Amino acid sequence: MARMQAHGIPYLQEILLFLLLAGILIPVLERLKVNTVLGFLTAGVLLGPHAMGLFSRTDAVAALAELGIMFLLFTIGLELSVSRLRTLARWVFGAGTVQVLVSTLVLGAIAWAWGNSLGVAVLLGVVLSFSSTAIVMQWISRRRELDTPLGSVSLSILLFQDLAVLPVLIMIDVLGQNQPSLGQGAEVSLATWAALALLKAVCAVVLIMFIGRKLVQPVFHYLSSQRQPDSFMALTLLCTLGIAALTAYSGLSMALGAFLAGLLLSETQYRHEIEVTIEPFKGLLLGLFFMSIGMAIDWRAVIEHPLWLPLAVIGLVLIKALLIMLVLRSFGLGWPLASQAGLLLGQGGEFALIVIGASIQRQFMPADTGHFMLLTVSLSMLATPALARAGQMLSAWWTQHIDSSEQDLAPPELQWQNHIIVAGLGRVGQLVAGLLQSQGISFVVIETNAALVADMRRKGWPVYLGDASRSEMLQRLGLAGARAVVLTMDQTAAALNTVRAMLREAPHVPIIARARDEAHAALLRQAGAEVVVPETLESGLQIAARALELGGVEEEATAAALDSCRRARLQ
């Protein structure tokens, strides 16, 4: 260990051990279809100082895991686009608001009745009302249910919880500051101090957002137009860490800065490309974060509370599940889906772990209470797969034995969102997208030319910068739930790679492809495109049709001649 530190790389042993573990653990978990978040939590418990002791320096893991927290909050901010909030506004701001308020009141009242101070009870009520975005969204995405009513309503609840992160982060920062003195022993009143600290925090947030909007997007636009992926990645990291540093300089947390950076970029055309770019880093760093949480779980404490700890976990899950189920039912969701969503969202979340840990560190929450709640939340997260399966079984049983008419009951805005994906925004892509828009058909466009993307977005088109051959990008564009894909690329290799990638992700979605000529068309058809239109052939046939018409050939004979020529050329 001493020799490793002598090389000048801090925490080298822990980094190497984690990378070795991640390289082995992630593929094994994927093969076993186990949630990677739960896998890292379990690994942290088993390998931490309270068990095998391979990671004896928890401070080293905690220092690296802080980056994971920042990227988690950056991703949450990135997902909070105005368009997504507008689509599900009734569920995000209606059901989401009611769920957080009701859960906060009920769970906070229980915490207060248990002997906690009012401030600690309110804080516990708020953070325990949040569910695990990382675990739930990974479970939904793996089952390809993001566009189903269950996926949409779960996403809506999680989106509002993510929105509530901002005021809670500010509240924690304010509570963590030392109360100032007026001198000569006279202290500022608690209310005045809190109001001033809150005002300072809000002003810092507004100033960062204002300056960020003026600077971030133009810089991203310039570098992406140069098509330098290394610069794009470096700029993403700079934006995240730079704004985090600004908030830290303002006396707020770096996690809040990362969240604001995500918000700044959520409404730009670079959003999906950024998500794909940081995905590997986010996954590894979040793995470190969840491992650090697992290492904090002392199984001796579990043994010390053999009755209360299981009861606390069961009570948290059942209370949250019941409250969420009742809220969703009151907003018109059928009982089967409401009960399934309630159990899926019944666990505690990673944000509760962050806030409780910070509260213990800043001595706002008693250490014994905080550690007990960390154990409760962590164990509830470990139970998520079992809760999800229980929700499926309950939904199926309800449909079968109580009311089968409610099987598919869901409000219209939560039903499947059928759309068409247009890959490529050249002259053909613009023509197709324009016609789709004129007919009121939902569509989304993906293009690699940053200048063209920016120009089309100014016209209000749903255009995003990215590579259509990347599976992560296709998932974010909702390929699995699309009606069809229109492929307008003119580069043979890029078009073939895109067709193959789309068929791997969603073989049931038909692909309509544009080809330069007959040879290009044959390759696309062999790759799996359902409909291929050779551009030169069709333009030539249209010219020939007009010439035959002017030459006196009848319409039926012209159509037959053109069809015969088309088949011969394509063969």
Side-chain angles (χ1 to χ4, degrees), residues 32-95:
L32 297 176
K33 297 183 178 180
V34 177
N35 188 286
T36 54
V37 172
L38 302 179
F40 278 117
L41 274 172
T42 306
V45 173
L46 297 177
L47 303 177
H50 305 297
M52 297 174 64
L54 292 181
F55 286 91
S56 57
R57 300 177 61 204
T58 54
D59 59 325
V61 178
L64 296 172
E66 188 174 356
L67 290 173
I69 299 171
M70 290 170 56
F71 276 93
L72 170 66
L73 290 167
F74 174 77
T75 307
I76 290 173
L78 205 59
E79 291 174 349
L80 294 175
S81 64
V82 174
S83 58
R84 177 173 285 187
L85 294 175
R86 188 184 299 119
T87 302
L88 299 170
R90 175 172 173 263
W91 291 89
V92 174
F93 298 106

Side-chain angles (χ1 to χ4, degrees), residues 19 21 36 60 112 141 207 209 232 245-246 256 320 357 365 457 466 474 544:
L19 291 176
L21 179 65
T36 54
W112 185 60
S141 299
L207 184 62
M209 293 293 287
F232 191 87
L246 284 176
L256 174 60
K320 276 189 69 175
M365 184 181 296
R457 283 180 69 87
L474 295 175

Side-chain angles (χ1 to χ4, degrees), residues 53-312:
L54 292 181
F55 286 91
S56 57
R57 300 177 61 204
T58 54
D59 59 325
V61 178
L64 296 172
E66 188 174 356
L67 290 173
I69 299 171
M70 290 170 56
F71 276 93
L72 170 66
L73 290 167
F74 174 77
T75 307
I76 290 173
L78 205 59
E79 291 174 349
L80 294 175
S81 64
V82 174
S83 58
R84 177 173 285 187
L85 294 175
R86 188 184 299 119
T87 302
L88 299 170
R90 175 172 173 263
W91 291 89
V92 174
F93 298 106
T97 303
V98 174
Q99 182 271 321
V100 169
L101 289 177
V102 171
S103 298
T104 297
L105 287 173
V106 173
L107 295 171
I110 294 173
W112 185 60
W114 209 255
N116 293 288
S117 66
L118 182 60
V120 171
V122 171
L123 183 64
L124 285 175
V126 172
V127 298
L128 292 179
S129 70
F130 295 169
S131 305
S132 174
T133 300
I135 294 178
V136 173
M137 292 309 297
Q138 189 177 30
W139 187 88
I140 291 174
S141 299
R142 177 172 292 166
R143 294 180 58 85
R144 300 185 183 277
E145 293 188 350
L146 187 58
D147 292 321
T148 65
L150 174 65
S152 296
V153 75
S154 300
L155 175 64
S156 300
I157 298 296
L158 292 171
L159 278 176
F160 184 81
Q161 292 177 359
D162 292 343
L163 281 172
V165 164
L166 183 58
V168 176
L169 281 173
I170 294 177
M171 180 176 69
I172 290 298
D173 289 329
V174 169
L175 293 174
Q177 298 175 19
N178 294 321
Q179 186 174 350
S181 173
L182 290 174
Q184 300 180 348
E187 290 190 345
V188 178
S189 69
L190 179 62
T192 304
W193 162 75
L196 291 173
L198 184 61
L199 179 62
K200 173 189 172 184
V202 171
C203 289
V205 169
V206 171
L207 184 62
I208 289 171
M209 293 293 287
F210 176 77
I211 296 175
R213 289 185 185 277
K214 299 295 184 182
L215 294 179
V216 170
Q217 186 161 349
V219 176
F220 263 93
H221 174 71
Y222 173 75
L223 286 181
S224 61
S225 65
Q226 305 300 310
R227 300 194 178 184
Q228 296 177 353
D230 293 344
S231 298
F232 191 87
M233 182 181 298
L235 183 60
T236 301
L237 296 174
L238 175 63
C239 180
T240 307
L241 299 177
I243 296 179
L246 284 176
T247 55
Y249 182 77
S250 304
L252 305 174
S253 67
M254 295 185 73
L256 174 60
F259 181 77
L260 295 177
L263 283 177
L264 281 173
L265 295 169
S266 65
E267 282 304 308
T268 69
Q269 63 265 36
Y270 314 107
R271 172 186 157 203
H272 292 303
E273 186 71 10
I274 291 170
E275 287 177 329
V276 172
T277 299
I278 69 168
E279 191 67 30
F281 300 98
K282 186 194 73 173
L284 283 174
L285 292 170
L286 278 179
L288 266 173
F289 166 63
F290 285 112
M291 278 188 63
S292 68
I293 295 300
M295 291 176 194
I297 297 178
D298 187 352
W299 287 102
R300 291 170 296 186
V302 177
I303 297 173
E304 291 173 3
H305 304 285
L307 177 62
W308 290 115
L309 190 59
L311 287 178

Side-chain angles (χ1 to χ4, degrees), residues 293-464:
I293 295 300
M295 291 176 194
I297 297 178
D298 187 352
W299 287 102
R300 291 170 296 186
V302 177
I303 297 173
E304 291 173 3
H305 304 285
L307 177 62
W308 290 115
L309 190 59
L311 287 178
V313 174
I314 294 171
L316 172 64
V317 169
L318 289 182
I319 290 172
K320 276 189 69 175
L322 179 61
L323 293 176
I324 292 172
M325 180 177 67
L326 293 175
V327 169
L328 295 179
R329 186 67 185 100
S330 68
F331 274 77
L333 200 66
W335 282 114
L337 283 175
S339 60
Q340 188 175 355
L343 285 169
L344 180 62
L345 298 168
Q347 77 289 116
E350 52 275 350
F351 189 66
L353 302 176
I354 298 171
V355 173
I356 293 172
S359 301
I360 297 173
Q361 192 176 44
R362 299 180 182 187
Q363 299 181 346
F364 178 73
M365 184 181 296
D368 54 347
T369 301
H371 289 143
F372 183 84
M373 295 314 302
L374 284 175
L375 283 171
T376 302
V377 173
S378 300
L379 292 175
S380 73
M381 292 169 70
L382 285 172
T384 300
L387 293 174
R389 287 192 290 271
Q392 290 176 310
M393 294 171 61
L394 178 60
S395 178
W397 176 85
W398 191 293
T399 301
Q400 183 177 359
H401 293 92
I402 297 183
D403 191 354
S404 60
S405 65
E406 287 196 351
Q407 182 176 7
D408 297 316
L409 179 60
E413 65 268 28
L414 291 180
Q415 298 292 353
W416 291 83
Q417 300 288 331
N418 292 329
H419 60 296
I420 291 177
I421 298 175
V422 180
L425 198 57
R427 48 193 173 81
V428 178
Q430 292 182 39
L431 174 64
V432 173
L435 288 171
L436 291 173
Q437 186 180 47
S438 68
Q439 298 301 313
I441 298 174
S442 176
F443 71 99
V444 63
V445 183
I446 180 169
E447 169 60 41
T448 58
N449 187 317
L452 188 57
V453 169
D455 185 48
M456 290 298 107
R457 283 180 69 87
R458 280 193 289 269
K459 296 181 179 179
W461 283 18
V463 185
Y464 292 96

